[in-house]
Amino acid sequence: MGASGSKSRGLWPFASPAAGGGGPEGPGGQQALARARAARAATPFVFTRRGSMYYDEDGDLAHEFYEETIVTKNGRKRAKLKRIHKNLIPQGIVKLEHPRIHVDFPVIICEV
């Protein structure tokens, strides 16, 4: 429990080659060696993230979009907000203002 799937597949970028990332003798030979070399060059910082907002048809950017509809009930007109789910485009990759430490990087930030 507590191990992420990326560690078990040998794709964890902060693992040392001897810590189970697979050696050149194991399955995959050259690929495992290339992965071990790439692990040393990995940085503990994250510079981008996936955006959580969406663009609508007009190019407006927001987390959620609503449309006002008029509902008639018992002869009374009432305005109601209906959430829009269609024709929304995800924001995409967003550059972070300040680099963050990767969630899988094993470091103690503050000790009490």
Side-chain angles (χ1 to χ4, degrees):
M1 204 164 130
S4 68
S6 60
K7 291 181 192 175
S8 63
R9 286 189 298 249
L11 301 175
W12 197 51
F14 309 113
S16 64
E25 307 85 25
Q30 294 296 334
Q31 290 177 354
L33 183 62
R35 191 180 317 131
R37 285 185 185 146
R40 289 188 205 120
T43 175
F45 299 108
V46 177
F47 298 98
T48 58
R49 67 172 175 85
R50 205 167 88 198
S52 61
M53 295 197 276
Y54 296 91
Y55 290 103
D56 69 346
E57 300 158 339
D58 302 327
D60 297 328
L61 182 67
H63 287 282
E64 299 173 337
F65 289 95
Y66 293 92
E67 176 181 47
E68 188 177 10
T69 57
I70 304 296
V71 178
T72 305
K73 187 175 182 182
N74 296 333
R76 293 180 82 178
K77 290 185 179 177
R78 188 175 144 211
K80 195 171 185 180
L81 294 177
K82 181 181 175 185
R83 188 168 175 191
I84 299 174
H85 295 283
K86 295 182 180 178
N87 299 327
L88 297 178
I89 303 165
Q91 185 180 12
I93 302 297
V94 177
K95 186 177 178 188
L96 294 170
E97 223 175 283
H98 306 287
R100 309 289 201 273
I101 295 177
H102 195 277
V103 69
D104 286 335
F105 189 70
V107 65
I108 298 172
I109 295 174
C110 180
E111 189 175 284
V112 180

